[in-house]
Amino acid sequence: MAKTSNVLTTVLNVLTLLLGLVLIIAGIWTSVHPDSATLCEKTFAKPYIFTGIFLVALAVIGIAGAFFRINSMLYIYSAVLLIMIIGLLAYAIFALVVTNKRISKAVSNRGYKEYRFRDYSKWLQKHVVTDKNWANIKSCLIDSRVCLALAAKTSKDFYRTYLTPIESGCCKPPGNCKYLFVNSTYWVPPKTGPASDDSDCKSWNNDQKKLCYDCGSCQVGVLSNMRHLWRKFAMLNFSIIVFVIVIYSISCCAIKNNEDIPQPCHI
């Protein structure tokens, strides 16, 4: 029984080590094959590598402490886990706060809603859809081909279709432009021109790689999607915190077990 916590700590860290190596390999592969990697994939290369290095380093410390019964290593390992618990808790609370505000506007006789910047917190607006970030976000949207999922054959079918915030903002011109439906991703302006001076009306392009990806409405759609994902991840974070607390407790037991085992004399 005295060795149980050491074995559990070792096994958990071996799994963590393997996960870290996978992330490092994925990040390096993307970096050394720039021609085959999209801008979206390149964006995740460095985070993969840095996260992988952190997990590998943490796992090595945990394995050394638990398997070789080196308490100094386990103290470092436990301290890092404690910092992780505090950080994850702070992030979960922060994510819930900055994503708390949202009031979407239902469009009359439509199966979808349209969203506005003022529906979201100032922090999200200033830090998520900045000019610096938008090129990467737009690349990911194009790579994922989110708009190809729209398959309505008639305008009547399209207007009854439920659209996600990103589909509503990025795959069609805003409703106030009064563009005429040809197909789900092909719209033409009225003969008299767009019904609104909204800059998004001019940004619309029927090129499948452009559409409304440069529109403010697309950025708002991304904000809505980001809000939804952040809130889900914040809730998931609480489960991760519980898991990390369990690992932290096991590491503390391993430290106690090591102290209970007589250490050999070194002459």
Side-chain angles (χ1 to χ4, degrees):
M1 186 64 184
K3 297 181 179 180
T4 302
S5 57
N6 294 71
V7 173
L8 286 174
T9 302
T10 302
V11 170
L12 288 171
N13 280 285
V14 168
L15 295 176
T16 302
L17 178 65
L18 294 175
L19 175 61
L21 290 174
V22 169
L23 290 175
I24 292 173
I25 292 171
I28 292 176
W29 187 91
T30 302
S31 299
V32 299
H33 293 83
D35 296 334
S36 60
T38 64
L39 178 59
C40 180
E41 292 170 338
K42 292 176 185 176
T43 303
F44 291 101
K46 288 183 179 179
Y48 279 166
I49 293 174
F50 291 144
T51 303
I53 291 173
F54 170 77
L55 291 178
V56 167
L58 183 63
V60 168
I61 293 172
I63 292 170
F67 187 78
F68 296 105
R69 305 185 185 283
I70 305 174
N71 266 1
S72 58
M73 290 291 193
L74 282 179
Y75 279 123
I76 296 173
Y77 178 75
S78 298
V80 174
L81 289 181
L82 183 59
I83 294 172
M84 284 179 61
I85 291 169
I86 296 172
L88 288 169
L89 183 60
Y91 169 77
I93 294 172
F94 172 75
L96 290 174
V97 170
V98 299
T99 59
N100 188 46
K101 182 181 179 184
R102 191 197 76 174
I103 307 173
S104 57
K105 179 183 177 183
V107 182
S108 179
N109 299 320
R110 301 289 187 266
Y112 53 83
K113 297 179 179 179
E114 292 189 342
Y115 303 80
R116 300 159 293 185
F117 273 114
R118 65 175 179 268
D119 296 339
Y120 302 91
S121 69
K122 294 293 184 181
W123 190 92
L124 281 178
Q125 295 180 38
K126 290 180 180 179
H127 293 85
V128 176
V129 291
T130 62
D131 292 339
K132 181 180 178 180
N133 294 336
W134 188 246
N136 293 333
I137 294 173
K138 184 169 69 172
S139 172
C140 289
L141 291 173
I142 295 172
D143 290 347
S144 63
R145 301 182 179 182
V146 292
C147 296
L148 292 181
L150 302 178
K153 296 181 179 180
T154 66
S155 60
K156 190 175 182 179
D157 291 337
F158 179 82
Y159 290 134
R160 288 178 177 177
T161 301
Y162 168 76
L163 302 181
T164 66
I166 288 181
E167 289 172 340
S168 176
C170 306
C171 304
K172 68 174 187 60
N176 59 358
C177 300
K178 304 297 182 183
Y179 273 47
L180 304 177
F181 177 93
V182 177
N183 64 43
S184 299
T185 55
Y186 194 96
W187 300 69
V188 294
K191 292 181 180 180
T192 55
S196 172
D197 293 330
D198 189 338
S199 60
D200 284 358
C201 299
K202 297 179 181 179
S203 296
W204 171 260
N205 192 308
N206 286 312
D207 185 329
Q208 296 300 298
K209 291 188 176 181
K210 295 181 179 179
L211 298 179
C212 220
Y213 292 127
D214 289 318
C215 297
S217 61
C218 187
Q219 295 181 350
V220 178
V222 169
L223 280 178
S224 180
N225 189 65
M226 188 73 69
R227 175 191 179 275
H228 178 69
L229 290 176
W230 272 34
R231 289 185 73 83
K232 286 181 66 175
F233 188 69
M235 300 308 296
L236 176 62
N237 239 18
F238 289 111
S239 300
I240 296 175
I241 290 170
V242 172
F243 180 67
V244 176
I245 288 175
V246 171
I247 298 176
Y248 175 77
S249 300
I250 294 173
S251 69
C252 290
C253 289
I255 291 173
K256 188 176 183 302
N257 289 339
N258 288 353
E259 292 174 345
D260 291 339
I261 295 174
Q263 298 294 325
C265 295
H266 298 280
I267 300 176

